[in-house]
Amino acid sequence: MLRRSRRDHRLQQFVILSYEGLNVPNILRSVLIVCIQGLLLLCTGGLNAQSRADAQDRTELVNQITPKNIINIVLDDADYSDFGFNNYQLSQPDAITPNMDRLRRGGRLFPNYYAGCAYCSPTRVSVLTGCNPIRFGALQSWPAIENVEQGNLGNAGLPWNVPQLGIVMQGLGKKTGHFGKWHVGSALAIYRPSSLGFDEFGGYYPPAPTGTWSGTFNLHSSAWGSYAKDVDYLDEELTNMVGDFILRNAQEPQGFFVNFWPLTPHFPWAEPRDFDNSRTHFDLSTDRGRLLAMMYSIDLQIGRIVALVDSLGIREQTLIVISSDNGGQQTVRNISPYLYGTKGNLFEGGVKVSMIANWSGSIVANSTNYSVVSSYDLLPTLVDICAGAEPSALYPYMDGRSKKLAFFTNQTMHHDPVYSELQGSSIRTSDERAQLAYSVLIDDYRLTKAENRNPFAANAYVLNDLQADPTGRVNVSRTNPVIVDALKKILLQARVTTSRLPFPDSSNKQSLKIPFDPRFDICRREATFIVDVNASVTLSRAANILARSGSFHIDLLPNKSVRWTIVGTNAHGAPLQQKLSTAPLAAGVHRLIFTTQGFKDAGSYMHTQIYLDGRIAADTDNLPLQEQIFSFWSTVSGVTLGDVRLVLKNTSFYTLRLWPDEIQ
């Protein structure tokens, strides 16, 4: 009981500290703290007697013990069928992963585990924050470089003042480590693992090799420093870092938490140097064969970690979780794939990746739970498992919910709609809405809006009945129009509400400075800013509506026109300032919508528009080519909202590009 009380106190302290960075008034912060303390009391003993009895009947065994250690392994682009424990379902099985198969037999399979997106960075964002990645503008991969270029998001990264998996685990007293891929922003120190809750970090310096994961790499480890090393297989060296971390922290009083995020089986598809193929007989002349060799090799490394845990006598104290960040790439999938869809689209094969959880002596061996579990459920689930109490205090600030009961019982748990979105095609087309892809999973139905590269054609809505067809291959939209219409409405609501970020009060009568937060940044490839402005005020000079120093500013001019000035580069990387202006506004209050959308293709410029009362009032397509910006500059300055001479109302900021009909 004393141990649980201490854990609850640490969780409470984490929540309070997390929100000290929100820059809210002291009174409001006090209210937040009181609410959080109350929620913690509720989840640790404040239930009424009957509720406590019901909960005890359901979870008595579950709450008797908690794991001292957690090893969370997330593979990179491992397809649902690349794991031996799923591969057997194919007509031509080929994957060999004996160590992971052994963990599956000794633990629990979650065949309905879904990645947060069909790309790596968004899913990893969801694992670290417990949130839908859309909340952070994560629609595709995030780079590790500081300057802004087309095809990357520049200073993108996670804000520190939201719940973070590493920080939570530190709050529970655990030593924390992250080894391998990060890929959720590292341009600034505040985005790196050491700032987001990890005591130790190990990885390699990009760029990735062009043809192999063998050779000399520039590596870095918190424990070993920076060094160059010739390796047979990069993930083997990363496994060495993980093993060293476990060895040094196995006797920590509160245990350890470690993320192991290897590069396997991401491109380049290349077997380790001197790979022994005498038992596996993979066709190493093909990309598929090389990928299978990579999977077999990472399986050996996972086996090394398990063997170390066994040798240290801490196996029964250690929870091991294995998943993938998205489905596999089309060109290297088995020729008889089980699921329709691949990495880069939101059909089943793009986001359904399966998960196993192994905790010897606590999780029933060779068991299966069919609950839908999303990658953003991991944070609250692991906190619940470790703290012995559901982390309800965190729920107002995250989308995930604890699925602890699914880990330890046969109960099929309910899940709120699982909503996903990705940017889609990198090439701009005449119909920009066709670029986007989004999907919602509710019970047995998945509705997916395809983007223009998909065989279903642009703006097509595909409905899958996953109970009748678990592979997601059959489109039943024509025979179920009522379901399609209902899910479309849910899709739209999720698209708008999930992407909306907290913003200051809806009515602002004076200038307000908002500290730097990467979420409030039009320099991402997609963003929407909405505000109501009273154009009746008399002005002698430009009045600020929204500004980020060195990046952009939006002004109401004395002639009542609105001007949006953006700093960026042209297609050749040279500095360029773009000015987008409306005609003079009539007296009265007007709804202004500022949208931006970008494309990775080298020939596509950023598309920026201003909508006035629902109609386009200014469009960069009307600017001369030499004035069109190829990429926006991003800065680490805060945002200044409003001017003392203006009254701004109904201010909203979204991390997606939205159209007027979607938000009115």
Side-chain angles (χ1 to χ4, degrees), residues 435-616:
Q435 307 283 104
L436 308 176
Y438 32 90
S439 179
V440 65
L441 173 69
I442 301 179
D443 298 327
D444 295 322
Y445 288 101
R446 174 181 290 283
L447 183 70
T448 304
K449 177 202 166 292
E451 51 101 359
N452 59 358
R453 292 179 296 177
N454 194 275
F456 287 110
N459 292 324
Y461 281 87
V462 179
L463 180 67
N464 299 124
D465 181 348
L466 300 176
Q467 183 177 35
D469 171 35
T471 68
R473 296 180 177 278
V474 180
N475 182 7
V476 298
S477 59
R478 291 187 178 181
T479 55
N480 295 275
V482 175
I483 295 176
V484 170
D485 287 343
L487 295 189
K488 277 185 179 180
K489 294 178 181 178
I490 294 174
L491 261 176
L492 176 59
Q493 181 182 20
R495 180 163 158 49
V496 174
T497 58
T498 305
S499 68
R500 188 179 187 276
L501 299 178
F503 219 70
D505 191 78
S506 59
S507 178
N508 180 51
K509 297 181 180 180
Q510 60 183 4
S511 177
L512 179 65
K513 294 186 181 298
I514 305 171
F516 173 70
D517 188 323
R519 294 172 294 180
F520 299 122
D521 198 341
I522 66 157
C523 300
R524 297 176 180 278
R525 284 198 286 267
E526 293 189 18
T528 302
F529 173 67
I530 303 173
V531 63
D532 290 346
V533 177
N534 189 343
S536 301
V537 62
T538 300
L539 298 173
S540 59
R541 58 183 174 86
N544 169 63
I545 295 174
L546 183 72
R548 184 188 295 277
S549 178
S551 179
F552 70 89
H553 56 268
I554 300 171
D555 300 307
L556 179 64
L557 304 182
N559 69 352
K560 306 301 175 61
S561 66
V562 173
R563 182 180 63 198
W564 189 3
T565 304
I566 303 169
V567 180
T569 67
N570 61 19
H572 305 289
L576 181 65
Q577 189 178 85
Q578 172 182 286
K579 294 185 178 181
L580 200 60
S581 299
T582 70
L585 277 58
V589 177
H590 298 275
R591 166 63 52 96
L592 289 163
I593 303 175
F594 304 84
T595 68
T596 184
Q597 186 173 358
F599 313 92
K600 292 192 299 181
D601 180 65
S604 297
Y605 293 89
M606 301 293 290
H607 191 201
T608 306
Q609 294 174 305
I610 303 176
Y611 289 86
L612 175 63
D613 298 328
R615 296 184 179 182
I616 293 178

Side-chain angles (χ1 to χ4, degrees), residues 343-387:
K343 174 181 179 177
N345 64 56
L346 296 174
F347 298 105
E348 286 291 282
V351 290
K352 187 174 183 177
V353 293
S354 197
M355 177 181 72
I356 56 174
N358 181 290
W359 182 9
S360 180
S362 297
I363 292 179
V364 177
N366 204 29
S367 59
T368 302
N369 189 289
Y370 293 94
S371 300
V372 168
V373 180
S374 172
S375 57
Y376 51 73
D377 294 322
L378 277 181
L379 191 161
T381 300
L382 295 178
V383 172
D384 194 356
I385 291 174
C386 289

Side-chain angles (χ1 to χ4, degrees), residues 240-286:
N240 293 340
M241 295 181 185
V242 173
D244 176 65
F245 174 84
I246 292 174
L247 193 62
R248 287 184 288 104
N249 293 286
Q251 302 307 317
E252 279 292 320
Q254 300 301 326
F256 62 79
F257 173 87
V258 59
N259 273 338
F260 178 34
W261 291 3
L263 290 306
T264 298
H266 193 284
F267 176 86
W269 301 296
E271 72 278 11
R273 188 168 58 198
D274 300 327
F275 177 75
D276 182 1
N277 199 26
S278 61
R279 295 184 178 181
T280 50
H281 305 293
F282 298 131
D283 184 355
L284 299 181
S285 67
T286 67

Side-chain angles (χ1 to χ4, degrees), residues 16 56 86 122 167 186 199 204-205 224 226 231 259 273 292 324 353 368 375 421 440 494 521 538 547 600 628 639 653:
I16 293 172
Q56 185 175 359
N86 285 333
I167 298 173
S186 57
D199 299 313
Y204 76 103
Y205 292 113
W224 302 347
S226 299
V231 298
N259 273 338
R273 188 168 58 198
L292 293 172
S324 175
V353 293
T368 302
S375 57
E421 180 162 344
V440 65
D521 198 341
T538 300
K600 292 192 299 181
Q628 295 190 24
V639 171
F653 190 94

